Amino acid sequence: MQRRDLLTGSFKAVAGSSLLAQVMSAAQADSAVCAPCVSAPFPAIPSPLAKLRVKPIMTNMVHSDVWEGPCRFNVVPVAKERENVQRYYDAWSRAVRSGEYSFGAGAEVLSPTLVVFDENFKLPPAALAELDQDARSADVFFIAPQGSSNAAYDLVHHFHKPGILLDINCRTVDVAAYAKSQGEEILIARDGEELGRLMDLLRARKVFRETRVLFPTNRGFPSVASLTGITDLQELESRLGVQIRMIPYRALADAMERTIADPAAGKQAEVEADELIRGAVQTYLNREYVVRSILFKSTIEGLMDTHSANAFTIECFEFCASRLPEKWKITPCLIHTLFKDRGIASSCEGDLGALLGMRLLMSVAGKSSHLGNMFFREGKILEINHSAPGIRMNGFDQPGMPYKLGRFVQSGWGTKAVVDFMQNPEKRVTVSRMHPNAKQVLVMKGKLIRSEGWERDNLGCSVAAFMVPAETGNAETFVRRQAEYGNHLVWTYGDYAEPMSRLGALMGLQVEVFS
């Protein structure tokens, strides 16, 4: 079956007409035979998540003289000792530069540095000064702690940056334990594989701590429909670094009207809308409604740039009551999909508990996600239902899943993406949500058993995934815990329960895992 725009023509000519109803009826009739269709490749969009800046540092000692004793049983002349230290460093530096250490694709590795001290066991001020620029821009030190144990600790203490040591041995455990007792952070990776995983987790933590959420609202928190979103914003920022940028609807409306009036923005929106429509298996609404949703996306992107935000939420009920969605013929659904597919956390209903759970999960998985309401169905099955699926739920750098473009409201507008989750080969899933206290995270390791919303032209929130815990097959205990955590759940494909737990430990969060 060929991909089709079931509705074409101008916004004014079609909206509200009998032709709209006739063509929508035709769309519903045709949709049942579209399940085998495969969409065009979704445009490749790299994840915009920040890199983890890693500064490799080797410490080592060169004595000022020659003598023997309890710390020196293999004495060599000072010049030879200096030569040996330089040789060790050169070999280590080459290994770092050549990629022998598994820092991962998400790491930006700075130039290695050698810090040499003598039997005073103090890092020379000149060496610290030379390190200063790189050290302050780095997120983490990768330290080869030669010469003594205290030098590695002194580095992290001086710059107040976390350090990573490779290998579990007498020195590394000693340094890590002392650093923790002094309020500093030194972590140990057993081998290269664990080093890569640890780097990924530290990157996820960095991204989380740099979260800046744009929230257009006149009410603030709590949201009308999501009471259990996080509301103590001051504590959220002081402990986890997350900031909320609230703007009034007047600012949103002014920005949207400027976008609509801008011919260049309109042309660009048409290009993006046409690309989105061409890639769809099926389109149930007028092209102009898709263009309007892209204009709204451009408006939000501009506001995010103005307010230095990198995440987004809006309260659907408050927004609906403002009549602005009806005026602009948009709903936020498509924005959530497109943002998440670029690695930008974007949640429904002003729900920070869902948004921050999403930020954790997407950072760990490197994938887009689906957010939705929880329903507990017969057979003790968990349903997650909202028209905010991700298309790149196999990975930001992987081809997108087949999708359709649906309508949210009866009269034909409100662009939303529709995905058949069961068409994907992967059936393992991970579900997440953060507690209203922002100190706990709820996680379920599960398996997908069916989905709904693909087969016909459904209105409203209609993209549903059905799943159960992987081991028990009974979701009741998990959904009962939501009486402590709140409603919305976020999920993606794959098993990420263990890295979510490890990330929680790095951030001082208690992670509850159900499977």
Side-chain angles (χ1 to χ4, degrees), residues 269-331:
E270 289 182 351
V271 170
E272 291 187 37
D274 287 342
E275 184 176 21
L276 197 62
I277 291 168
R278 281 196 301 272
V281 169
Q282 197 165 11
T283 300
Y284 288 114
L285 74 172
N286 186 291
R287 171 182 179 269
E288 184 64 23
Y289 295 134
V290 184
V291 173
R292 281 293 178 121
S293 289
I294 298 298
L295 287 170
F296 185 55
K297 178 181 75 73
S298 299
T299 298
I300 297 300
E301 287 172 333
L303 288 168
M304 290 173 70
D305 185 60
T306 298
H307 295 277
S308 300
N310 53 22
F312 174 70
T313 190
I314 193 165
E315 210 284 285
C316 302
F317 289 73
E318 180 191 7
F319 191 35
C320 181
S322 74
R323 306 290 181 91
L324 292 173
E326 183 177 51
K327 178 181 179 181
W328 299 329
K329 300 296 184 285
I330 59 95
T331 58

Side-chain angles (χ1 to χ4, degrees), residues 92 208 221 448 497:
W92 179 77
F208 187 91
F221 293 106
L448 185 71

Side-chain angles (χ1 to χ4, degrees), residues 45-280:
I45 303 173
S47 168
L49 302 183
K51 294 281 189 177
L52 183 78
R53 292 173 62 84
V54 182
K55 176 64 178 177
I57 305 171
M58 174 180 279
T59 66
N60 216 328
M61 177 186 289
V62 176
H63 294 81
S64 62
D65 203 349
V66 176
W67 71 91
E68 292 183 323
C71 67
R72 301 187 75 183
F73 53 86
N74 55 346
V75 181
V76 297
V78 172
K80 181 62 175 177
E81 184 178 28
R82 187 178 301 279
E83 180 184 320
N84 290 341
V85 166
Q86 188 64 47
R87 187 173 66 254
Y88 296 153
Y89 170 72
D90 289 343
W92 179 77
S93 179
R94 283 194 299 271
V96 168
R97 295 176 188 275
S98 65
E100 289 186 28
Y101 294 99
S102 304
F103 297 116
E108 176 186 350
V109 184
L110 305 179
S111 295
T113 296
L114 172 64
V115 176
V116 177
F117 51 93
D118 61 21
E119 65 271 13
N120 289 321
F121 300 103
K122 293 181 179 179
L123 302 183
L128 293 174
E130 185 178 342
L131 267 177
D132 191 75
Q133 184 173 351
D134 271 3
R136 294 192 185 282
S137 67
D139 299 303
V140 62
F141 298 153
F142 176 62
I143 305 172
Q146 306 298 321
S148 75
S149 295
N150 71 294
Y153 168 77
D154 288 347
L155 280 172
V156 301
H157 178 66
H158 182 82
F159 293 105
H160 298 294
K161 295 292 178 73
I164 295 180
L165 309 178
L166 187 62
D167 192 21
I168 301 175
N169 58 47
C170 57
R171 174 163 292 168
T172 58
V173 297
D174 184 59
V175 176
Y178 181 71
K180 184 175 182 179
S181 74
Q182 300 301 308
E184 302 291 352
E185 184 178 40
I186 290 185
L187 306 167
I188 303 172
R190 179 185 59 200
D191 51 25
E193 183 178 348
E194 186 174 9
L195 176 64
R197 293 197 300 266
L198 187 54
M199 290 292 180
D200 288 341
L201 294 175
L202 290 173
R203 180 184 180 225
R205 183 176 72 175
K206 174 186 177 179
V207 169
F208 187 91
R209 287 176 171 174
E210 294 178 352
T211 302
R212 307 291 181 262
V213 184
L214 180 71
F215 180 28
T217 179
N218 288 341
R219 288 178 52 92
F221 293 106
S223 299
V224 174
S226 295
L227 297 174
T228 48
I230 298 160
T231 58
D232 190 342
L233 305 186
Q234 183 175 354
E235 200 270 345
L236 180 65
E237 180 177 353
S238 64
R239 186 166 49 82
L240 294 175
V242 177
Q243 298 178 18
I244 313 300
R245 320 287 206 202
M246 291 191 203
I247 62 170
Y249 279 180
R250 181 70 267 164
L252 172 62
D254 290 346
M256 181 64 172
E257 294 302 331
R258 287 194 298 270
T259 304
I260 292 172
D262 182 354
K267 289 180 180 179
Q268 181 59 35
E270 289 182 351
V271 170
E272 291 187 37
D274 287 342
E275 184 176 21
L276 197 62
I277 291 168
R278 281 196 301 272

